Amino acid sequence: MTHEFYIKRCLELAVLGIGNVSPNPMVGCVIVVDDKIIGEGYHQKYGEAHAEPNAVKAVIDRFGADAETLLQQATAYVNLEPCAHFGKTPPCADLFVKHKLKKVVIGNRDPFSGVDGKGIEKLKNARIEVESGILDEECKYFNRRFFSRIQKQRPYIILKWAETANGYFSTLDGHQKWISGALAKRLTHQWRTEEDAILIGKQTAIMDNPQLTSREWPGKNPVRLVIDKDLQVPQSNHIFNSAAKTIIFNEVKTDVIDNVHYIQMEDMHFYLAQKIAFQLYLMDVQSVIIEGGANILNQFLTANLWDEARVFTAPNSWPNGLRSPIINGELREQIHIGLDKLSIYINHTI
């Protein structure tokens, strides 16, 4: 088998941690002897063991007294450079050194300053052969949320909306009128389990009274973020229930009441998208879905503060309505979700 084959297997394992490891990256590890996988592991939950110790443990659990001899003959594959610092867990590079692995093959170098080549250096100093840069671009895109937070000092920003076949986004009076179908809704709930937070504006909170939970897909709920400058959203609305943590960006107060956190900002009519992006970075929010309305989506588009846009286009048309935001990005993928068409755009200008 090739190095690429095993790194792809690392990614297959790593994605099992999506939604549960932030603000850490998603990492998988495969340990191989004589072209046979003898142990696998992935980072399952933030604060718990990383992929590498889970893979080593799998070898020890399976082979018992023979494990040490096998590890000394082994090549470990990992999609991201093993960490070299003490954080929530000990350094993974030290673990490989301790067990005297023969070789380590790596997808990406870790851009975090506490690692960034230091893990590779530790391995080489212990006379472990290291090869890196395998499927480098694929691995970077896979961990794009992590790379965005580390390199851009902001979360990975996903814009999401639905539009009619003739380009309408919402009704003229702002009242809720469902555009996309049931399958699109279920997929949206799956996405919510995969990202840290979801953001809407005051108008959407008042007119639609959304729950912003993942109730139609198993997994965690995202943190609910609401822009409400003057605190006009009624306390009876769903965003104030106990289903998930809610953060209200406003100009009135900073306070914590049960699961609702109020964060006061100044001059919210200036550079709002930039202020929110930086505030989320400070809060270790690694990814956010922005669901609108149109005003909020257009503010992030105008500021060029977005990484990915997911747009559902329904087959039906409306006689009138508010026009959808205009997206200027590379079309990465188009697929049909029931009767709707999902277009995914990537922003390569940042």
Side-chain angles (χ1 to χ4, degrees):
M1 299 296 181
T2 64
H3 289 339
E4 288 79 7
F5 173 86
Y6 291 118
I7 291 295
K8 284 183 178 180
R9 178 57 185 161
C10 290
L11 297 180
E12 290 174 355
L13 293 166
V15 78
L16 298 174
I18 193 167
N20 296 314
V21 301
S22 176
N24 283 351
M26 295 179 288
V27 182
C29 179
V30 176
I31 300 177
V32 177
V33 173
D34 296 331
D35 267 340
K36 292 183 180 178
I37 295 175
I38 63 169
E40 295 182 331
Y42 67 97
H43 185 25
Q44 299 178 22
K45 188 176 180 181
Y46 176 69
E48 295 183 1
H50 289 185
E52 297 91 333
N54 283 335
V56 169
K57 182 178 184 298
V59 175
I60 294 170
D61 289 347
R62 181 180 176 188
F63 294 99
D66 296 326
E68 285 304 316
T69 300
L70 285 169
L71 287 169
Q72 290 175 24
Q73 302 168 15
T75 296
Y77 291 84
V78 61
N79 60 288
L80 191 71
E81 177 182 2
C83 60
H85 65 297
F86 282 90
K88 296 282 185 182
T89 60
C92 294
D94 288 358
L95 180 70
F96 285 163
V97 171
K98 173 187 172 183
H99 290 287
K100 301 177 182 178
L101 268 73
K102 181 180 178 182
K103 184 174 181 176
V104 177
V105 178
I106 298 166
N108 296 137
R109 274 178 59 149
D110 190 327
F112 176 59
S113 60
V115 187
D116 196 15
K118 298 181 180 69
I120 293 173
E121 184 181 3
K122 276 192 174 187
L123 296 172
K124 287 183 175 179
N125 287 343
R127 300 193 177 184
I128 294 174
E129 184 183 352
V130 178
E131 192 168 342
S132 62
I134 308 300
L135 297 180
D136 186 68
E137 288 304 315
E138 186 173 336
C139 290
K140 280 179 183 173
Y141 183 74
F142 177 81
N143 264 319
R144 57 198 181 277
R145 299 162 181 84
F146 175 71
F147 276 79
S148 180
R149 187 177 70 88
I150 297 299
Q151 296 179 330
K152 300 174 185 175
Q153 287 78 56
R154 64 164 178 80
Y156 187 81
I157 297 172
I158 301 166
L159 310 181
K160 178 261 171 185
W161 70 85
E163 61 186 29
T164 65
N166 56 341
Y168 289 121
F169 172 84
S170 64
T171 59
L172 288 173
D173 62 8
H175 280 89
Q176 185 181 42
K177 186 177 179 182
W178 202 259
I179 297 175
S180 52
L183 283 177
K185 180 180 181 182
R186 195 152 189 257
L187 178 58
T188 296
H189 284 221
Q190 178 187 344
W191 290 342
R192 291 176 182 178
T193 69
E194 297 171 351
E195 313 303 337
D196 287 355
I198 183 168
L199 173 71
I200 61 170
K202 172 196 71 178
Q203 203 64 27
T204 300
I206 292 174
M207 300 303 291
D208 295 354
N209 191 16
Q211 298 184 55
L212 302 183
T213 61
S214 311
R215 58 198 178 277
E216 293 196 17
W217 193 266
K220 68 170 183 62
N221 290 322
V223 176
R224 301 177 292 199
L225 309 172
V226 182
I227 300 169
D228 186 9
K229 179 171 167 282
D230 301 313
L231 299 182
Q232 295 178 332
V233 179
Q235 292 287 313
S236 58
N237 277 35
H238 290 136
I239 60 165
F240 293 105
N241 66 26
S242 60
K245 179 180 177 180
T246 299
I247 296 173
I248 312 290
F249 296 112
N250 69 95
E251 286 189 354
V252 179
K253 66 178 181 178
T254 294
D255 197 5
V256 178
I257 302 173
D258 296 325
N259 64 309
V260 181
H261 295 235
Y262 296 87
I263 295 181
Q264 187 176 10
M265 289 181 161
E266 295 181 355
D267 300 324
M268 292 180 69
H269 50 292
F270 291 120
Y271 303 107
L272 180 61
Q274 291 89 335
K275 289 175 180 176
I276 287 176
F278 185 63
Q279 181 65 48
L280 295 179
Y281 167 72
L282 295 177
M283 295 162 56
D284 271 344
V285 172
Q286 189 160 255
S287 61
V288 58
I289 301 174
I290 299 176
E291 288 205 359
N295 176 44
I296 299 302
L297 286 164
N298 280 319
Q299 287 200 52
F300 279 85
L301 283 166
T302 300
N304 200 31
L305 266 178
W306 67 279
D307 299 285
E308 185 176 330
R310 302 173 181 176
V311 183
F312 289 105
T313 303
N316 57 305
S317 296
W318 289 356
N320 55 47
L322 294 178
R323 284 288 174 186
S324 302
I326 302 299
I327 194 75
N328 182 21
E330 177 193 320
L331 180 61
R332 181 180 179 90
E333 187 177 8
Q334 265 188 342
I335 54 176
H336 281 88
I337 308 295
L339 297 177
D340 303 312
K341 180 177 68 178
L342 170 62
S343 302
I344 298 178
Y345 299 88
I346 301 296
N347 185 3
H348 286 305
T349 66
I350 49 175

